[in-house]
Amino acid sequence: MSYDLPVERILHPRLLSCPPETPLREAARLMSDARCSSILVMEGSQLRGIWTERDALTIDFSLPDALDMPISRVMSSPVKTLHGGTTVGEAALRFKLDSVRHYVVVNDSGEHLGIVTQSDVVQNQGVEYFVQLRDVNSVLREPPIWVPGTLPLGEAAKRMREVRRDALVVEGPDGEAGILTERDIIRLISRERLDGAIWEMASKPLVSVAAESSLYHARTLFSENHIRHLGVTGPAGELIGLITYGDILASIEHDYVQELQKALREREQQLSVSNHNLKLAQKVFDTSAEGIMVTDEHVCIESVNPAFTRITGYEIGEALGAKPSILKSGRHNSHFYREMWAALELSGAWQGEIWNRRKNGEIYPEWLSISTVRNQEGHVTNYVAIFTDITARKEAEDRVHHLAYHDALTGLPNRSLFLEHLDHALHHAHRQGAMVALMFLDLDRFKLINDTFGHAMGDKLLVETARRLAGCVREGDTVSRLGGDEFTVILEDLRSADDAALIARKILDVLSQPMVLDGQELFITPSIGISLYPTDSLYPEPLVKNADAAMYQAKERGRHNYQFYTPDMNSRAFERLALENKLRRALERNELVLHYQPRVDINSRQVTGMEALLRWNHPERGLVPPSDFIPIAEESGLIVPIGEWVLRTACAQNKRWQEDGFPKLCMAVNISARQFKHSKLVDTVRQVLEETGLDPADLELEITETIAMEHAEESVKKLAELKAMGVRLSMDDFGTGHSSLSYLKQFPIDSLKIDKSFLQDTSQGSKDAAIAQAISTMAERLQLKVITEGVETQEQLAFLVGNKSGEVQGYYFSHPLPPEEFAALLRSGKIFDQD
C-alpha cells in the first residue's frame, strides 16, 4: 500500500486562485477551464478562503443576480491545511474527520506548496490495493438518488444539498440514465446555462460497472473516462448504486484502521518496529473516526481514543481503570457474552452488532470488533476493541424496510406486507378457532376523477381514502393498498359474518361523505367484496381471489355496495375469462360479422343510411349478444383492433353496394371510448377510406357524449381533424351523459342521436316527451340533424312525426340484418310501405 507516501509527493503544485471580489460566474469559468474542483480566494498574498464544487450547491439559482455575487460571500473559511510531510494514510483519516475534500499543503514556514484532494489519495494507491480480492460491492454504501429529467437545475442542486450527495442519477424520457454531478453544476454556471430541464444538462450515458467487478476494473474506468462517479449494476442489470473516489477513500481509511489492529496484536513480537510506525499508530489512534478501547489482560481499560469519548460520552479519565461493562445496555443476556468470550478464546477475535449504552443513558447500536493480543509466550496481554456507531445505518435500514413493505403514497402496508399479515391472521384464527374476513375494495369511477382533476388530486383522494378506511377498523385489523385504487381490509377475531357486514356498511357510509380537497368537493363510492375464513377457504390466495370476485359482483350490481362471496362468482369470472380468450381468436377465425339496421327519413320514408352493428357468431354459442362481449373487448383493449375491423368491413360493404347499383347511403359506425382515445384513430380512418375507395361523405362516425366530454378540448381537436377529412360526425345516446353546452357548440358534429330511453313514454305532458322535444328544438337552432333510435311502435313514430324529428331507426322498420338480407330489403322496397 501507499500509506507512508508523503502528500507533498502527490499534490498539485499549480494553485488556481482569484481575488475576493470575483463574480461566481467567473470563478466557475476558471475552474471549468482548468478542470479543477476548487479555487483559492487570495487577497494579495493572503489566503482568505476556498470555493469548491460542493459550495456551488448552496447557490440560490432563483435569484436573478446569483452568479454576479462575489465569491467572498460564499467561500469556505478558514482553509484546512496539511503539512507536506503528512502521509497518505494520515491524510485519508483527516479527510473523513474534517469532512472536506481539499487540503492546501504547506511546508514548515507555512508557504503554500499546492493542493491535495481525495481523488489524489485514491489515484496514488498502489495497484496491489485494488487487486486484493476486492470488488465494487465492498465499497458500495447507499442506493442512488433518482430524479426526473424534467427537474430544474436549482431544484436539483437543492436536492443534492439536502441528501448530502455529490451526484444525482437523472432519468431520461425513455428510462435512460444520466448523471448530474457537482462538477456539471460548475460547468453549467460557467456557461450560464441555468434554465431548462436537467436531462439536457446531465452527462450521459451513465458509465456503469457490475457490482461483482473488481475495484481495479472500476479504477481503470475512472481513469479512462476521466470521471469521478460510476454507476453500479446488479445481477439483472438494474442500477443499484453509485461509487465515487470518496467511497474508495472510506475503504482505504477502514483498512488503515485495521493496520492499527495488526500493529497492536504484534507490538510485543515486532521489537524492531520503527519510531515512524509507532508515531503513525498513535496518530491513527487519535484521529480515527472509530472508537478504540484497549484493555489489559484483566479486561480493565488502559486507553481510549477521542472517538471513544465522542461516541460514548465518557471522558478519558472516567474510562481508564473501569470495566467495559460500563457500556452494557442490558439488551443482551449472559448467553450472548459467553458466546463472545468463547470466540475470543478460540480464534482470538470476535465481531458483530451489539447494543451499548452512552453515559447519558441513551442506547445505541454499534459494530464491534475485538482482537486478542498475546506475547511471544502466547499469554494474553491486551484486548483491543474497535467500534462504530451504526445508528444512522440502522435508521436507514429501517427506512428501506418500511419502503419495501409500505405504500409510498398512503403509508399503508403494501401487497407484500398485506400477504404476510393475512397469513399470520389465518394461522392465529386456526389456533383460536376464530373467523377472519377479507375485504377487497375498489373505488368506483376513480379513473374519471383522476383524468378530470389530474393525478395530483387523485393521489390526495387516495390518501384521504386511506385515512378514512383506517378510522373504520379496530387497532388489530389491517388496511392495505395493493396499488391504484384497490384496497384490502383484514378483520380478525370475528364472531360472525354480521360483524364484517357492519364494518362494510360503516365503510360505505364514511367513504360516501364528500371530500374537500384543495377547495374542490369530490364524491367517491366504493364497491366491496368480502370472503370469509374458514367458510370460503383456508388459504390466503383463494381468499383474495374470492374477495376480488365478490367485489366485481358488487360493481355489476350497481356499485356502492358490498357482496359476500358465493361459489358461483368464480364460475362466472371463469366464464368471463374464457369468453375473453375466445374473443381474442374471433377476428382471425372470421367469427365476427356485421349486421345493418336501416335509417329512415321520417317525412319521405326513404332509407337514408344504415348503422353497422357488430355480432359474434360463436362456434358453440351461436350469435353472442353485444352486451356480453363488448364490455370485455373494451376492458381488455381488444376493442381497438376489433373496431378497426368493423370500420374497414362496413366501408368496404357500403362501397360494394354502391358498385352493385344501390343508391349512395351513409354508413354509421360506432367508435368506442378506447378507439377514440387511440392516437392512431384519425390515421386509421383516413387509411380505411383510401383502401376501400369510399367517399368520406358516405361514412358517419358515432361517438357518445360521455366519450366526447372526457378531455373535451382534445376531443374538439380530434373531431375537427375527422371533419376536415369530410367524414360525418354524430353524437350518440345524447341526453344520457354529462354534457357541457359550451363544449357542444364547439364540437363539429352533424347530428344528435336521441337515446331510445326517451321514447319510453311519449304521452302528452310526459317528461320523456318534453326532453325529446327540447333536444329536437335545440338541434334545430344549432342546425344539427336529429336521429332517434329505438322506434318500435306506431305511437312512437306518430309522436316523432308530430315532433318533426329528422331520421329514425328501430325494430318498427327493421331488425339489424346480415348483408344479403339488408340488400334484399332495399331491393324489395317493403320498408316504404310502413304507415
Side-chain angles (χ1 to χ4, degrees):
M1 302 301 174
S2 305
Y3 295 144
D4 296 331
L5 189 70
V7 294
E8 62 188 5
R9 298 275 298 277
I10 66 171
L11 58 75
H12 297 281
R14 180 173 173 266
L15 293 173
L16 183 67
S17 64
C18 67
E21 64 273 14
T22 304
L24 289 182
R25 68 174 80 249
E26 178 61 18
R29 185 190 64 77
L30 292 172
M31 290 170 63
S32 183
D33 291 345
R35 298 183 64 84
C36 287
S37 58
S38 65
I39 187 169
L40 298 179
V41 181
M42 305 289 293
E43 189 170 14
S45 61
Q46 297 297 312
L47 177 59
R48 297 302 186 192
I50 186 171
W51 192 61
T52 69
E53 292 172 346
R54 170 162 289 181
D55 294 327
L57 299 182
T58 63
I59 300 174
D60 185 352
F61 292 100
S62 65
L63 298 176
D65 59 346
L67 301 188
D68 296 320
M69 186 186 304
I71 196 170
S72 60
R73 291 178 57 184
V74 293
M75 67 184 182
S76 297
S77 181
V79 181
K80 299 287 186 178
T81 61
L82 279 180
H83 188 274
T86 305
T87 66
V88 168
E90 293 176 71
L93 290 174
R94 287 283 301 278
F95 276 121
K96 182 175 182 180
L97 190 64
D98 292 341
S99 297
V100 297
R101 300 182 193 169
H102 306 77
Y103 282 108
V104 172
V105 182
V106 298
N107 59 17
D108 292 335
S109 303
E111 296 173 330
H112 302 155
L113 303 179
I115 197 163
V116 66
T117 69
Q118 289 182 338
S119 301
D120 299 325
V121 173
V122 176
Q123 290 173 340
N124 285 277
Q125 284 301 306
V127 172
E128 61 273 23
Y129 175 83
F130 295 90
V131 298
Q132 287 186 347
L133 302 178
R134 296 173 184 270
D135 58 19
V136 171
N137 202 46
S138 68
V139 299
L140 187 62
R141 294 187 296 176
E142 297 174 310
I145 302 295
W146 285 83
V147 294
T150 56
L151 198 68
L153 179 63
E155 290 297 319
K158 180 181 178 183
R159 179 72 169 147
M160 291 170 71
R161 184 172 69 251
E162 290 174 344
V163 299
R164 299 182 65 82
R165 297 287 184 90
D166 59 358
L168 301 173
V169 178
V170 182
E171 183 175 7
D174 296 323
E176 181 184 0
I179 187 169
L180 184 74
T181 68
E182 294 172 351
R183 177 154 293 182
D184 290 327
I185 292 178
I186 289 293
R187 172 175 52 82
L188 294 168
I189 293 173
S190 70
R191 299 177 183 178
E192 299 186 27
R193 283 190 58 198
L194 304 181
D195 296 323
I198 59 172
W199 176 247
E200 300 302 325
M201 308 174 184
S203 301
K204 45 188 178 292
L206 174 60
V207 181
S208 299
V209 63
E212 63 271 19
S213 298
S214 68
L215 273 183
Y216 181 73
H217 178 55
R219 180 199 192 200
T220 303
L221 289 176
F222 278 127
S223 178
E224 289 178 350
N225 292 278
H226 305 290
I227 56 178
R228 297 185 296 173
H229 300 79
L230 275 176
V232 181
T233 57
E238 75 280 13
L239 188 67
I240 62 174
L242 289 175
I243 62 168
T244 67
Y245 276 136
D247 297 319
I248 299 178
L249 184 68
S251 177
I252 293 172
E253 187 273 345
H254 176 76
D255 292 342
Y256 196 50
V257 171
Q258 301 307 310
E259 290 287 320
L260 169 64
Q261 294 186 58
K262 182 178 179 181
L264 291 172
R265 286 196 302 268
E266 297 176 355
R267 69 178 183 174
E268 294 298 331
Q269 303 170 8
Q270 301 293 332
L271 299 178
S272 60
V273 65
S274 67
N275 290 332
H276 173 75
N277 286 339
L278 291 174
K279 181 180 179 181
L280 175 62
Q282 185 61 48
K283 284 191 175 181
V284 171
F285 187 81
D286 291 339
T287 60
S288 174
E290 297 175 299
I292 302 175
M293 174 177 62
V294 180
T295 76
D296 60 19
E297 70 273 23
H298 303 297
V299 199
C300 291
I301 299 174
E302 284 188 340
S303 62
V304 295
N305 70 342
F308 174 94
T309 297
R310 178 173 52 81
I311 295 173
T312 68
Y314 286 97
E315 298 293 339
I316 295 177
E318 296 174 306
L320 295 183
K323 295 280 189 179
S325 58
I326 61 173
L327 304 176
K328 287 181 68 172
S329 65
R331 285 198 176 187
H332 304 288
N333 55 28
S334 57
H335 175 75
F336 175 85
Y337 293 105
R338 282 198 301 270
E339 291 288 321
M340 176 191 294
W341 281 106
L344 281 170
E345 292 177 5
L346 181 65
S347 63
W350 179 90
Q351 66 175 356
E353 186 178 302
I354 188 172
W355 290 85
N356 272 340
R357 185 187 301 273
R358 308 188 207 275
K359 181 182 177 182
N360 63 7
E362 178 186 353
I363 295 175
Y364 69 99
E366 68 179 34
W367 184 261
L368 173 64
S369 298
I370 306 176
S371 299
T372 304
V373 181
R374 299 179 183 271
N375 60 19
Q376 291 181 336
E377 288 75 33
H379 298 140
V380 175
T381 60
N382 298 93
Y383 295 101
V384 179
I386 300 178
F387 58 93
T388 302
D389 185 345
I390 58 172
T391 300
R393 192 185 82 186
K394 295 290 288 185
E395 291 174 348
E397 289 174 354
D398 290 343
R399 287 195 297 272
V400 170
H401 183 272
H402 186 273
L403 290 174
Y405 287 96
H406 290 80
D407 173 47
L409 177 65
T410 64
L412 294 177
N414 61 13
R415 183 181 294 273
S416 297
L417 189 55
F418 154 69
L419 291 174
E420 283 188 18
H421 282 198
L422 180 58
D423 188 65
H424 178 272
L426 298 188
H427 279 89
H428 174 75
H430 175 72
R431 290 192 301 269
Q432 302 297 323
M435 176 182 286
V436 174
L438 173 61
M439 292 183 177
F440 201 105
L441 183 148
D442 183 271
L443 301 182
D444 302 327
R445 298 186 178 89
F446 172 73
K447 185 178 183 300
L448 179 61
I449 291 179
N450 222 19
D451 291 344
T452 303
F453 296 100
H455 291 285
M457 183 70 80
D459 286 348
K460 291 179 180 179
L461 187 145
L462 291 173
V463 171
E464 176 62 14
T465 298
R467 187 190 68 79
R468 294 189 182 189
L469 278 175
C472 291
V473 300
R474 300 162 301 176
E475 185 176 348
D477 298 328
T478 301
V479 177
S480 306
R481 180 186 177 216
L482 302 190
D485 60 332
E486 293 182 341
F487 295 84
T488 57
V489 179
I490 303 171
L491 303 174
E492 300 190 49
D493 297 321
L494 301 182
R495 295 186 300 274
S496 68
D498 291 341
D499 292 340
L502 183 66
I503 298 297
R505 286 193 292 270
K506 182 178 180 181
I507 290 173
L508 290 173
D509 179 61
V510 169
L511 291 190
S512 64
Q513 301 302 312
M515 297 184 184
V516 180
L517 304 173
D518 292 344
Q520 182 73 44
E521 188 175 56
L522 301 178
F523 293 86
I524 197 75
T525 59
S527 294
I528 304 173
I530 307 172
S531 60
L532 301 173
Y533 169 93
T535 308
D536 299 325
S537 179
L538 301 177
Y539 305 102
E541 186 175 344
L543 281 174
V544 175
K545 177 182 175 184
N546 294 342
D548 188 33
M551 184 273 292
Y552 275 104
Q553 182 67 17
K555 283 192 176 294
E556 290 179 3
R557 295 195 177 184
R559 299 182 173 90
H560 192 209
N561 69 93
Y562 66 89
Q563 295 292 323
F564 282 94
Y565 168 75
T566 58
D568 66 314
M569 289 179 179
N570 276 332
S571 63
R572 288 200 300 274
F574 179 79
E575 290 175 5
R576 182 184 179 91
L577 181 60
L579 199 63
E580 179 183 333
N581 291 335
K582 292 181 179 179
L583 183 58
R584 291 184 182 276
R585 306 296 297 275
L587 260 179
E588 61 187 70
R589 292 176 176 173
N590 297 318
E591 296 174 4
L592 298 180
V593 296
L594 290 183
H595 286 186
Y596 302 90
Q597 187 174 39
R599 184 185 293 172
V600 180
D601 183 274
I602 201 167
N603 295 315
S604 67
R605 303 294 177 90
Q606 296 293 314
V607 175
T608 58
M610 53 278 185
E611 180 177 0
L613 298 168
L614 181 63
R615 299 290 185 265
W616 179 11
N617 192 9
H618 194 283
E620 299 167 1
R621 297 176 54 178
L623 284 179
V624 180
S627 59
D628 284 2
F629 71 89
I630 291 296
I632 296 175
E634 187 79 34
E635 291 175 10
S636 64
L638 290 171
I639 197 67
V640 174
I642 290 175
E644 183 176 341
W645 177 88
V646 170
L647 180 65
R648 181 172 282 104
T649 304
C651 289
Q653 181 64 70
N654 197 13
K655 184 65 176 177
R656 280 196 298 272
W657 280 331
Q658 292 177 9
E659 292 172 347
D660 290 343
F662 289 103
K664 292 187 68 172
L665 300 174
C666 186
M667 176 68 73
V669 177
N670 288 284
I671 300 297
S672 72
R674 275 185 181 251
Q675 274 182 283
F676 189 72
K677 293 176 183 176
H678 200 276
S679 60
K680 301 289 186 181
L681 174 64
V682 176
D683 293 336
T684 299
V685 173
R686 182 180 292 109
Q687 181 181 355
V688 167
L689 289 172
E690 290 174 356
E691 289 178 3
T692 61
L694 184 68
D695 186 342
D698 295 334
L699 173 64
E700 181 174 289
L701 301 179
E702 294 186 357
I703 62 168
T704 67
E705 58 178 326
T706 300
I707 294 173
M709 286 309 301
E710 286 189 17
H711 306 292
E713 294 182 1
E714 296 178 16
S715 297
V716 170
K717 294 178 183 177
K718 185 169 290 188
L719 291 173
E721 291 184 67
L722 293 168
K723 185 65 177 175
M725 203 184 300
V727 174
R728 301 186 194 182
L729 300 172
S730 175
M731 185 168 286
D732 196 11
D733 297 340
F734 187 76
T736 62
H738 302 280
S739 295
S740 168
L741 296 182
S742 64
Y743 272 110
L744 180 60
K745 66 181 181 181
Q746 297 181 42
F747 291 141
I749 58 177
D750 300 285
S751 56
L752 296 178
K753 196 167 187 182
I754 301 177
D755 187 70
K756 62 183 180 181
S757 63
F758 297 118
L759 292 181
Q760 298 302 311
D761 182 5
T762 56
S763 60
Q764 185 69 27
S766 72
K767 292 183 179 179
D768 285 347
I771 293 175
Q773 290 169 344
I775 293 175
S776 296
T777 302
M778 178 184 67
E780 182 181 358
R781 297 291 177 84
L782 293 175
Q783 296 183 332
L784 299 176
K785 184 170 62 177
V786 174
I787 305 166
T788 307
E789 61 181 348
V791 180
E792 299 180 358
T793 68
Q794 175 66 35
E795 291 75 20
Q796 291 173 338
L797 180 62
F799 165 75
L800 294 173
V801 170
N803 197 35
K804 299 180 180 180
S805 296
E807 296 181 2
V808 291
Q809 71 181 79
Y811 291 168
Y812 181 75
F813 298 101
S814 172
H815 283 69
L817 301 173
E820 59 277 5
E821 293 184 26
F822 187 84
L825 179 66
L826 291 179
R827 291 191 192 97
S828 70
K830 288 182 179 180
I831 197 166
F832 310 128
D833 299 331
Q834 299 286 354
D835 293 326

